[in-house]
Amino acid sequence: EAGVTQFPSHSVIEKGQTVTLRCDPISGHDNLYWYRRVMGKEIKFLLHFVKESKQDESGMPNNRFLAERTGGTYSTLKVQPAELEDSGVYFCASSPGQGAYEQYFGPGTRLTVT
Amino acid sequence: QKEVEQDPGPLSVPEGAIVSLNCTYSNSAFQYFMWYRQYSRKGPELLMYTYSSGNKEDGRFTAQVDKSSKYISLFIRDSQPSDSATYLCAMSRWNDYKLSFGAGTTVTVRA
């Protein structure tokens, strides 16, 4: 069974540019989550999808971040325009149910904004 | 105050030693307590989880939760070089999917 995959693995962009991160969850997992870890900080929750619906966006830092999950399959996280403080590692996780202990994490996308 | 505090280390031990990791937390509503292992350039991988208080053992790994002290621990017995990784504690409230992570402790097991 393939795990959670994320693309790209690393992205370097300039301040003000746009970047789109992609996550492919484990097949059959209705729940998809985005987390991020900025330098020196803990991994923090960003948002949660159930199928194609956003259930919880409480962790999204501001309106420069837009997440979508088309058809309840893969998800994208767009940052527009990127700021220096957006640098960090963005993790995607998926789960079959909503138990906190059921989440499988992807390898992350390392975003560097210069 | 952070919700979850975890000593970042680093921790270096010889092969075969017992590794002791711990986290403290401030939110008494946390009911699920997880330990993740993360290798370099990889995502967190769940090692084990505990619901409420008590101990749980899985092979060389033992997780302990003391809710009265808001303190959790992970012990790794007979540590191996392959155990070298960052270990993250994470917690959640009852019926909640949002994980609150500690900062992670980097462990190196020397051969």
Side-chain angles (χ1 to χ4, degrees):
Chain A
E1 178 184 83
V4 177
T5 57
Q6 293 187 245
F7 183 83
S9 58
H10 191 190
S11 178
V12 182
I13 62 171
E14 293 184 353
K15 176 182 172 180
Q17 289 186 324
T18 297
V19 64
T20 300
L21 314 180
R22 173 170 170 146
C23 168
D24 286 78
I26 293 172
S27 177
H29 283 193
D30 287 339
N31 295 273
L32 187 149
Y33 314 81
W34 284 96
Y35 291 83
R36 78 170 178 177
R37 182 171 192 162
V38 296
M39 186 67 71
K41 302 281 190 177
E42 301 79 18
I43 297 173
K44 294 280 194 184
F45 169 84
L46 294 179
L47 84 159
H48 169 221
F49 283 98
V50 177
K51 297 185 180 179
E52 67 276 7
S53 300
K54 288 178 194 172
Q55 289 292 108
D56 184 348
E57 293 183 86
S58 62
M60 294 286 262
N62 52 61
N63 59 11
R64 295 185 294 104
F65 290 76
L66 175 64
E68 295 180 323
R69 190 179 182 192
T70 307
T73 55
Y74 70 92
S75 175
T76 58
L77 180 65
K78 180 188 288 188
V79 185
Q80 179 182 26
E83 298 289 345
L84 298 178
E85 64 264 25
D86 300 332
S87 295
V89 182
Y90 290 75
F91 292 103
C92 175
S94 71
S95 67
Q98 294 191 17
Y101 51 86
E102 296 182 273
Q103 296 177 30
Y104 293 83
F105 282 80
T109 292
R110 184 174 298 274
L111 174 64
T112 302
V113 182
T114 62
Chain B
Q1 184 187 9
K2 294 180 183 178
E3 269 195 318
V4 182
E5 298 274 2
Q6 183 175 8
D7 186 342
L11 195 60
S12 180
V13 300
E15 184 175 357
I18 295 175
V19 176
S20 174
L21 304 165
N22 57 76
C23 291
T24 59
Y25 62 94
S26 57
N27 190 340
S28 58
F30 286 143
Q31 293 283 349
Y32 283 97
F33 303 91
M34 278 68 67
W35 285 97
Y36 289 84
R37 178 176 61 197
Q38 186 179 14
Y39 292 115
S40 181
R41 306 294 182 181
K42 300 290 186 182
E45 172 196 13
L46 181 67
L47 279 175
M48 51 199 308
Y49 76 92
T50 309
Y51 172 69
S52 194
S53 283
N55 296 354
K56 189 171 185 178
E57 190 172 314
D58 184 1
R60 297 185 294 112
F61 299 87
T62 299
Q64 292 183 348
V65 175
D66 181 349
K67 291 192 72 181
S68 62
S69 302
K70 295 190 180 69
Y71 186 92
I72 70 170
S73 302
L74 177 71
F75 299 96
I76 308 173
R77 291 183 300 280
D78 188 26
S79 58
Q80 304 295 311
S82 58
D83 294 326
S84 298
T86 296
Y87 290 81
L88 300 140
C89 63
M91 308 171 189
S92 72
R93 290 180 288 272
W94 163 252
N95 213 27
D96 190 1
Y97 45 77
K98 278 184 281 194
L99 295 170
S100 295
F101 281 90
T105 300
T106 300
V107 175
T108 300
V109 181
R110 308 185 306 271

Short mmCIF file of all heavy atoms in Angstrom, two decimals, chain A residues 10 33 35 37 40-45 48 55-56 58 89 91 98-108 110, chain B residues 2 4 32 34 36 38 41-46 49 86 88 91-93 95-104:
data_model
loop_
_atom_site.label_atom_id
_atom_site.label_comp_id
_atom_site.label_asym_id
_atom_site.label_seq_id
_atom_site.Cartn_x
_atom_site.Cartn_y
_atom_site.Cartn_z
N HIS A 10 11.10 19.77 -2.04
CA HIS A 10 11.72 21.01 -1.62
C HIS A 10 11.40 22.09 -2.64
O HIS A 10 11.45 21.82 -3.85
CB HIS A 10 13.24 20.82 -1.50
CG HIS A 10 13.95 21.95 -0.83
ND1 HIS A 10 15.32 22.06 -0.79
CD2 HIS A 10 13.49 23.05 -0.16
CE1 HIS A 10 15.68 23.16 -0.13
NE2 HIS A 10 14.58 23.78 0.25
N TYR A 33 -5.19 16.06 6.40
CA TYR A 33 -4.77 17.16 7.27
C TYR A 33 -3.49 17.81 6.72
O TYR A 33 -2.67 17.14 6.12
CB TYR A 33 -4.43 16.62 8.68
CG TYR A 33 -5.44 15.66 9.24
CD1 TYR A 33 -5.42 14.31 8.88
CD2 TYR A 33 -6.41 16.07 10.15
CE1 TYR A 33 -6.33 13.41 9.40
CE2 TYR A 33 -7.32 15.18 10.68
CZ TYR A 33 -7.28 13.85 10.29
OH TYR A 33 -8.20 12.96 10.80
N TYR A 35 -0.29 20.13 8.22
CA TYR A 35 0.45 20.65 9.37
C TYR A 35 1.68 21.36 8.83
O TYR A 35 2.09 21.13 7.69
CB TYR A 35 0.94 19.52 10.28
CG TYR A 35 -0.12 18.75 11.04
CD1 TYR A 35 -0.82 17.70 10.45
CD2 TYR A 35 -0.41 19.05 12.37
CE1 TYR A 35 -1.77 16.99 11.15
CE2 TYR A 35 -1.36 18.33 13.09
CZ TYR A 35 -2.03 17.31 12.47
OH TYR A 35 -2.97 16.59 13.18
N ARG A 37 5.75 22.93 10.16
CA ARG A 37 6.75 23.17 11.19
C ARG A 37 7.65 24.29 10.70
O ARG A 37 8.38 24.11 9.71
CB ARG A 37 7.57 21.92 11.47
CG ARG A 37 8.60 22.12 12.57
CD ARG A 37 9.26 20.84 12.98
NE ARG A 37 10.02 21.01 14.20
CZ ARG A 37 10.41 20.01 14.97
NH1 ARG A 37 10.12 18.77 14.65
NH2 ARG A 37 11.10 20.25 16.07
N GLY A 40 12.58 25.85 14.32
CA GLY A 40 12.69 25.96 15.77
C GLY A 40 11.40 25.82 16.53
O GLY A 40 11.38 25.96 17.75
N LYS A 41 10.32 25.55 15.83
CA LYS A 41 9.00 25.48 16.49
C LYS A 41 8.44 24.06 16.38
O LYS A 41 8.99 23.20 15.72
CB LYS A 41 8.02 26.45 15.83
CG LYS A 41 8.48 27.88 15.86
CD LYS A 41 8.25 28.51 17.20
CE LYS A 41 8.47 30.01 17.15
NZ LYS A 41 8.18 30.65 18.44
N GLU A 42 7.32 23.86 17.04
CA GLU A 42 6.65 22.57 16.97
C GLU A 42 5.85 22.45 15.68
O GLU A 42 5.51 23.43 15.03
CB GLU A 42 5.67 22.40 18.15
CG GLU A 42 6.28 22.49 19.53
CD GLU A 42 6.54 23.91 19.97
OE1 GLU A 42 5.95 24.85 19.37
OE2 GLU A 42 7.34 24.11 20.90
N ILE A 43 5.53 21.22 15.34
CA ILE A 43 4.60 20.98 14.24
C ILE A 43 3.22 21.48 14.67
O ILE A 43 2.74 21.16 15.76
CB ILE A 43 4.53 19.48 13.91
CG1 ILE A 43 5.90 18.97 13.44
CG2 ILE A 43 3.48 19.20 12.84
CD1 ILE A 43 5.97 17.47 13.24
N LYS A 44 2.60 22.28 13.80
CA LYS A 44 1.31 22.88 14.14
C LYS A 44 0.25 22.48 13.11
O LYS A 44 0.52 22.46 11.91
CB LYS A 44 1.41 24.41 14.16
CG LYS A 44 2.31 24.96 15.26
CD LYS A 44 1.60 24.99 16.58
CE LYS A 44 2.37 25.85 17.58
NZ LYS A 44 1.74 25.81 18.92
N PHE A 45 -0.93 22.25 13.59
CA PHE A 45 -2.08 21.92 12.75
C PHE A 45 -2.49 23.13 11.92
O PHE A 45 -2.53 24.26 12.43
CB PHE A 45 -3.24 21.49 13.65
CG PHE A 45 -4.56 21.37 12.96
CD1 PHE A 45 -4.91 20.22 12.28
CD2 PHE A 45 -5.48 22.41 13.00
CE1 PHE A 45 -6.15 20.10 11.66
CE2 PHE A 45 -6.71 22.31 12.38
CZ PHE A 45 -7.05 21.16 11.71
N HIS A 48 -8.13 20.64 8.17
CA HIS A 48 -8.63 19.28 8.05
C HIS A 48 -9.73 19.22 7.00
O HIS A 48 -10.64 20.05 7.01
CB HIS A 48 -9.17 18.83 9.43
CG HIS A 48 -9.94 17.55 9.42
ND1 HIS A 48 -11.09 17.37 10.16
CD2 HIS A 48 -9.72 16.37 8.78
CE1 HIS A 48 -11.55 16.14 9.98
NE2 HIS A 48 -10.73 15.52 9.15
N GLN A 55 -13.31 20.87 7.03
CA GLN A 55 -13.98 20.74 8.30
C GLN A 55 -13.48 21.75 9.32
O GLN A 55 -14.22 22.19 10.20
CB GLN A 55 -13.76 19.33 8.87
CG GLN A 55 -14.49 18.24 8.12
CD GLN A 55 -16.00 18.34 8.31
OE1 GLN A 55 -16.72 18.71 7.38
NE2 GLN A 55 -16.48 18.06 9.50
N ASP A 56 -12.22 22.08 9.21
CA ASP A 56 -11.59 22.90 10.24
C ASP A 56 -10.41 23.62 9.64
O ASP A 56 -9.46 22.99 9.19
CB ASP A 56 -11.15 21.99 11.40
CG ASP A 56 -10.58 22.75 12.58
OD1 ASP A 56 -10.30 23.95 12.46
OD2 ASP A 56 -10.40 22.12 13.64
N SER A 58 -8.98 26.21 11.42
CA SER A 58 -8.61 27.05 12.55
C SER A 58 -7.11 27.32 12.66
O SER A 58 -6.71 28.29 13.29
CB SER A 58 -9.11 26.43 13.86
OG SER A 58 -8.52 25.16 14.06
N VAL A 89 8.61 23.36 7.01
CA VAL A 89 8.26 22.08 6.41
C VAL A 89 6.77 21.88 6.55
O VAL A 89 6.21 21.99 7.65
CB VAL A 89 9.01 20.91 7.08
CG1 VAL A 89 8.65 19.59 6.38
CG2 VAL A 89 10.52 21.13 7.03
N PHE A 91 3.69 19.39 6.26
CA PHE A 91 3.36 17.97 6.28
C PHE A 91 1.88 17.78 5.95
O PHE A 91 1.03 18.54 6.38
CB PHE A 91 3.63 17.35 7.65
CG PHE A 91 5.07 17.28 8.03
CD1 PHE A 91 5.61 18.18 8.93
CD2 PHE A 91 5.90 16.29 7.50
CE1 PHE A 91 6.94 18.12 9.30
CE2 PHE A 91 7.23 16.22 7.86
CZ PHE A 91 7.76 17.14 8.76
N GLN A 98 -11.38 9.61 12.21
CA GLN A 98 -10.94 10.88 12.77
C GLN A 98 -10.22 10.72 14.11
O GLN A 98 -10.07 11.68 14.86
CB GLN A 98 -12.14 11.83 12.92
CG GLN A 98 -12.70 12.22 11.57
CD GLN A 98 -13.71 13.36 11.65
OE1 GLN A 98 -13.78 14.08 12.64
NE2 GLN A 98 -14.49 13.52 10.58
N GLY A 99 -9.77 9.53 14.39
CA GLY A 99 -8.98 9.35 15.60
C GLY A 99 -7.61 9.99 15.43
O GLY A 99 -6.97 9.85 14.40
N ALA A 100 -7.17 10.70 16.46
CA ALA A 100 -5.88 11.38 16.39
C ALA A 100 -4.73 10.41 16.15
O ALA A 100 -3.71 10.76 15.58
CB ALA A 100 -5.64 12.17 17.68
N TYR A 101 -4.89 9.19 16.62
CA TYR A 101 -3.83 8.20 16.51
C TYR A 101 -3.83 7.47 15.17
O TYR A 101 -3.02 6.59 14.95
CB TYR A 101 -4.00 7.16 17.63
CG TYR A 101 -5.39 6.59 17.70
CD1 TYR A 101 -5.75 5.50 16.92
CD2 TYR A 101 -6.35 7.15 18.53
CE1 TYR A 101 -7.04 5.00 16.95
CE2 TYR A 101 -7.64 6.66 18.57
CZ TYR A 101 -7.98 5.59 17.78
OH TYR A 101 -9.26 5.10 17.81
N GLU A 102 -4.72 7.84 14.27
CA GLU A 102 -4.86 7.13 13.00
C GLU A 102 -4.15 7.82 11.84
O GLU A 102 -4.24 7.37 10.71
CB GLU A 102 -6.33 7.01 12.62
CG GLU A 102 -7.18 6.19 13.55
CD GLU A 102 -8.62 6.09 13.03
OE1 GLU A 102 -9.42 6.99 13.33
OE2 GLU A 102 -8.92 5.13 12.30
N GLN A 103 -3.50 8.95 12.11
CA GLN A 103 -2.96 9.75 11.03
C GLN A 103 -1.61 9.22 10.54
O GLN A 103 -0.71 8.96 11.33
CB GLN A 103 -2.82 11.21 11.49
CG GLN A 103 -4.17 11.84 11.82
CD GLN A 103 -4.06 13.26 12.33
OE1 GLN A 103 -3.14 14.00 11.99
NE2 GLN A 103 -5.00 13.65 13.18
N TYR A 104 -1.50 9.12 9.23
CA TYR A 104 -0.27 8.71 8.57
C TYR A 104 0.30 9.95 7.88
O TYR A 104 -0.41 10.59 7.09
CB TYR A 104 -0.53 7.62 7.54
CG TYR A 104 -0.99 6.31 8.14
CD1 TYR A 104 -2.33 6.12 8.46
CD2 TYR A 104 -0.09 5.29 8.38
CE1 TYR A 104 -2.76 4.92 9.02
CE2 TYR A 104 -0.52 4.08 8.94
CZ TYR A 104 -1.86 3.92 9.25
OH TYR A 104 -2.28 2.74 9.80
N PHE A 105 1.55 10.23 8.15
CA PHE A 105 2.17 11.45 7.64
C PHE A 105 2.97 11.19 6.37
O PHE A 105 3.60 10.14 6.20
CB PHE A 105 3.09 12.06 8.70
CG PHE A 105 2.37 12.81 9.77
CD1 PHE A 105 1.76 12.13 10.83
CD2 PHE A 105 2.27 14.19 9.72
CE1 PHE A 105 1.07 12.82 11.81
CE2 PHE A 105 1.58 14.89 10.70
CZ PHE A 105 0.99 14.21 11.75
N GLY A 106 2.97 12.19 5.51
CA GLY A 106 3.84 12.20 4.36
C GLY A 106 5.23 12.70 4.74
O GLY A 106 5.44 13.12 5.87
N PRO A 107 6.15 12.69 3.78
CA PRO A 107 7.53 13.10 4.07
C PRO A 107 7.72 14.60 4.21
O PRO A 107 8.77 15.05 4.67
CB PRO A 107 8.31 12.57 2.86
CG PRO A 107 7.30 12.54 1.77
CD PRO A 107 6.00 12.20 2.42
N GLY A 108 6.71 15.35 3.82
CA GLY A 108 6.81 16.81 3.96
C GLY A 108 7.37 17.50 2.73
O GLY A 108 8.07 16.89 1.91
N ARG A 110 9.64 20.85 2.04
CA ARG A 110 10.45 21.89 2.67
C ARG A 110 10.34 23.14 1.82
O ARG A 110 10.75 23.15 0.65
CB ARG A 110 11.89 21.45 2.80
CG ARG A 110 12.80 22.43 3.53
CD ARG A 110 14.19 21.81 3.73
NE ARG A 110 14.11 20.61 4.56
CZ ARG A 110 14.14 20.61 5.89
NH1 ARG A 110 14.27 21.74 6.54
NH2 ARG A 110 14.08 19.48 6.55
N LYS B 2 3.82 27.03 26.43
CA LYS B 2 3.48 26.08 25.40
C LYS B 2 2.57 25.02 25.96
O LYS B 2 2.66 24.64 27.13
CB LYS B 2 4.76 25.41 24.88
CG LYS B 2 5.71 26.35 24.15
CD LYS B 2 6.94 25.57 23.70
CE LYS B 2 7.94 26.49 23.03
NZ LYS B 2 9.16 25.76 22.63
N VAL B 4 2.63 21.87 25.06
CA VAL B 4 3.43 20.66 25.22
C VAL B 4 4.90 21.04 25.25
O VAL B 4 5.38 21.72 24.35
CB VAL B 4 3.19 19.67 24.06
CG1 VAL B 4 4.01 18.39 24.28
CG2 VAL B 4 1.71 19.33 23.93
N TYR B 32 -5.47 11.50 24.56
CA TYR B 32 -4.67 10.59 23.74
C TYR B 32 -3.24 11.10 23.70
O TYR B 32 -3.00 12.30 23.51
CB TYR B 32 -5.22 10.50 22.32
CG TYR B 32 -6.46 9.65 22.21
CD1 TYR B 32 -7.72 10.22 22.22
CD2 TYR B 32 -6.35 8.27 22.09
CE1 TYR B 32 -8.86 9.44 22.14
CE2 TYR B 32 -7.48 7.47 22.00
CZ TYR B 32 -8.73 8.06 22.02
OH TYR B 32 -9.84 7.28 21.93
N MET B 34 0.54 10.29 22.05
CA MET B 34 1.22 9.58 20.98
C MET B 34 2.72 9.83 21.03
O MET B 34 3.16 10.91 21.46
CB MET B 34 0.71 10.05 19.61
CG MET B 34 -0.59 9.43 19.12
SD MET B 34 -2.06 9.86 20.03
CE MET B 34 -2.23 11.61 19.68
N TYR B 36 5.86 9.65 18.22
CA TYR B 36 6.25 9.49 16.82
C TYR B 36 7.77 9.44 16.72
O TYR B 36 8.48 10.06 17.49
CB TYR B 36 5.75 10.66 15.97
CG TYR B 36 4.26 10.70 15.76
CD1 TYR B 36 3.41 11.27 16.69
CD2 TYR B 36 3.70 10.17 14.60
CE1 TYR B 36 2.05 11.31 16.50
CE2 TYR B 36 2.33 10.20 14.39
CZ TYR B 36 1.52 10.77 15.35
OH TYR B 36 0.16 10.80 15.15
N GLN B 38 10.78 10.19 13.86
CA GLN B 38 10.99 10.86 12.58
C GLN B 38 12.45 10.75 12.19
O GLN B 38 13.33 11.29 12.88
CB GLN B 38 10.57 12.33 12.66
CG GLN B 38 10.64 13.05 11.33
CD GLN B 38 10.20 14.50 11.41
OE1 GLN B 38 10.08 15.07 12.48
NE2 GLN B 38 9.94 15.09 10.27
N ARG B 41 14.57 13.84 6.92
CA ARG B 41 13.90 14.04 5.62
C ARG B 41 12.69 13.12 5.44
O ARG B 41 12.24 12.90 4.30
CB ARG B 41 14.87 13.82 4.45
CG ARG B 41 16.12 14.66 4.53
CD ARG B 41 15.83 16.11 4.39
NE ARG B 41 17.05 16.93 4.42
CZ ARG B 41 17.08 18.24 4.32
NH1 ARG B 41 15.95 18.91 4.23
NH2 ARG B 41 18.23 18.89 4.34
N LYS B 42 12.17 12.59 6.53
CA LYS B 42 10.97 11.75 6.46
C LYS B 42 9.88 12.38 7.32
O LYS B 42 10.12 13.30 8.09
CB LYS B 42 11.27 10.34 6.99
CG LYS B 42 12.36 9.60 6.22
CD LYS B 42 11.91 9.21 4.85
CE LYS B 42 12.95 8.33 4.17
NZ LYS B 42 12.53 7.97 2.79
N GLY B 43 8.67 11.87 7.17
CA GLY B 43 7.57 12.34 8.00
C GLY B 43 7.51 11.59 9.32
O GLY B 43 8.12 10.53 9.48
N PRO B 44 6.79 12.14 10.31
CA PRO B 44 6.61 11.43 11.58
C PRO B 44 5.89 10.10 11.38
O PRO B 44 4.94 10.01 10.61
CB PRO B 44 5.74 12.40 12.40
CG PRO B 44 5.92 13.73 11.76
CD PRO B 44 6.13 13.46 10.31
N GLU B 45 6.37 9.10 12.09
CA GLU B 45 5.81 7.74 12.02
C GLU B 45 5.35 7.36 13.42
O GLU B 45 6.12 7.42 14.37
CB GLU B 45 6.89 6.78 11.52
CG GLU B 45 6.53 5.32 11.57
CD GLU B 45 7.75 4.43 11.43
OE1 GLU B 45 8.89 4.91 11.53
OE2 GLU B 45 7.56 3.22 11.23
N LEU B 46 4.08 6.97 13.54
CA LEU B 46 3.55 6.64 14.85
C LEU B 46 4.22 5.39 15.41
O LEU B 46 4.25 4.34 14.77
CB LEU B 46 2.04 6.40 14.75
CG LEU B 46 1.34 6.07 16.07
CD1 LEU B 46 1.37 7.27 17.02
CD2 LEU B 46 -0.11 5.63 15.83
N TYR B 49 0.55 4.69 20.89
CA TYR B 49 -0.31 5.68 21.53
C TYR B 49 -0.94 5.06 22.77
O TYR B 49 -1.09 3.85 22.87
CB TYR B 49 -1.36 6.21 20.57
CG TYR B 49 -2.51 5.27 20.29
CD1 TYR B 49 -3.67 5.31 21.05
CD2 TYR B 49 -2.44 4.35 19.25
CE1 TYR B 49 -4.72 4.45 20.79
CE2 TYR B 49 -3.48 3.49 18.99
CZ TYR B 49 -4.62 3.54 19.75
OH TYR B 49 -5.67 2.70 19.49
N THR B 86 14.63 11.55 15.53
CA THR B 86 13.96 12.53 16.39
C THR B 86 12.65 11.92 16.87
O THR B 86 11.89 11.37 16.06
CB THR B 86 13.70 13.83 15.63
OG1 THR B 86 14.95 14.43 15.27
CG2 THR B 86 12.90 14.81 16.48
N LEU B 88 9.06 12.54 18.72
CA LEU B 88 8.09 13.60 18.98
C LEU B 88 6.95 13.05 19.82
O LEU B 88 6.41 11.98 19.51
CB LEU B 88 7.50 14.12 17.66
CG LEU B 88 8.46 14.71 16.66
CD1 LEU B 88 8.09 14.29 15.25
CD2 LEU B 88 8.43 16.21 16.75
N MET B 91 -0.29 15.01 21.41
CA MET B 91 -1.46 14.76 22.26
C MET B 91 -2.71 15.31 21.60
O MET B 91 -2.62 16.21 20.75
CB MET B 91 -1.27 15.46 23.61
CG MET B 91 0.05 15.10 24.24
SD MET B 91 0.44 16.06 25.68
CE MET B 91 2.12 15.54 25.92
N SER B 92 -3.84 14.78 22.03
CA SER B 92 -5.10 15.32 21.53
C SER B 92 -6.18 15.14 22.60
O SER B 92 -6.06 14.30 23.49
CB SER B 92 -5.52 14.62 20.24
OG SER B 92 -5.94 13.30 20.51
N ARG B 93 -7.23 15.96 22.44
CA ARG B 93 -8.37 15.84 23.34
C ARG B 93 -9.23 14.68 22.89
O ARG B 93 -9.10 14.18 21.76
CB ARG B 93 -9.17 17.15 23.32
CG ARG B 93 -8.45 18.30 23.99
CD ARG B 93 -9.30 19.56 23.93
NE ARG B 93 -9.35 20.09 22.58
CZ ARG B 93 -8.45 20.94 22.09
NH1 ARG B 93 -7.45 21.33 22.85
NH2 ARG B 93 -8.57 21.39 20.87
N ASN B 95 -11.93 12.66 21.26
CA ASN B 95 -12.72 12.83 20.06
C ASN B 95 -12.26 14.01 19.20
O ASN B 95 -13.07 14.62 18.50
CB ASN B 95 -14.21 13.02 20.41
CG ASN B 95 -15.12 12.44 19.36
OD1 ASN B 95 -14.74 11.50 18.65
ND2 ASN B 95 -16.30 12.99 19.22
N ASP B 96 -10.99 14.34 19.29
CA ASP B 96 -10.44 15.44 18.51
C ASP B 96 -9.28 14.91 17.66
O ASP B 96 -8.46 14.13 18.14
CB ASP B 96 -9.95 16.56 19.43
CG ASP B 96 -9.59 17.84 18.68
OD1 ASP B 96 -9.74 17.87 17.44
OD2 ASP B 96 -9.18 18.80 19.34
N TYR B 97 -9.22 15.33 16.42
CA TYR B 97 -8.18 14.87 15.51
C TYR B 97 -6.94 15.74 15.53
O TYR B 97 -5.90 15.37 15.02
CB TYR B 97 -8.73 14.83 14.07
CG TYR B 97 -9.50 16.08 13.74
CD1 TYR B 97 -8.85 17.27 13.44
CD2 TYR B 97 -10.89 16.09 13.80
CE1 TYR B 97 -9.55 18.42 13.19
CE2 TYR B 97 -11.61 17.25 13.55
CZ TYR B 97 -10.93 18.41 13.25
OH TYR B 97 -11.64 19.55 13.01
N LYS B 98 -7.07 16.95 16.10
CA LYS B 98 -5.93 17.88 16.06
C LYS B 98 -4.85 17.43 17.03
O LYS B 98 -5.11 17.23 18.21
CB LYS B 98 -6.39 19.29 16.41
CG LYS B 98 -6.99 20.03 15.25
CD LYS B 98 -7.32 21.46 15.62
CE LYS B 98 -8.60 21.51 16.41
NZ LYS B 98 -9.12 22.90 16.51
N LEU B 99 -3.65 17.30 16.49
CA LEU B 99 -2.52 16.90 17.30
C LEU B 99 -1.75 18.13 17.78
O LEU B 99 -1.51 19.05 17.00
CB LEU B 99 -1.58 16.01 16.49
CG LEU B 99 -2.15 14.66 16.05
CD1 LEU B 99 -1.22 13.99 15.05
CD2 LEU B 99 -2.34 13.76 17.25
N SER B 100 -1.36 18.11 19.05
CA SER B 100 -0.48 19.14 19.60
C SER B 100 0.86 18.46 19.87
O SER B 100 0.93 17.52 20.66
CB SER B 100 -1.05 19.71 20.90
OG SER B 100 -2.25 20.40 20.67
N PHE B 101 1.88 18.94 19.18
CA PHE B 101 3.18 18.29 19.22
C PHE B 101 4.14 18.97 20.18
O PHE B 101 4.08 20.18 20.40
CB PHE B 101 3.83 18.34 17.83
CG PHE B 101 3.32 17.32 16.86
CD1 PHE B 101 2.24 17.61 16.04
CD2 PHE B 101 3.94 16.08 16.74
CE1 PHE B 101 1.77 16.67 15.12
CE2 PHE B 101 3.48 15.15 15.83
CZ PHE B 101 2.40 15.44 15.03
N GLY B 102 5.07 18.17 20.71
CA GLY B 102 6.24 18.70 21.35
C GLY B 102 7.27 19.05 20.27
O GLY B 102 7.09 18.73 19.10
N ALA B 103 8.35 19.68 20.69
CA ALA B 103 9.36 20.14 19.73
C ALA B 103 10.21 18.98 19.17
O ALA B 103 10.85 19.13 18.15
CB ALA B 103 10.27 21.17 20.37
N GLY B 104 10.20 17.83 19.85
CA GLY B 104 10.99 16.69 19.40
C GLY B 104 12.34 16.62 20.09
O GLY B 104 12.96 17.65 20.38
#
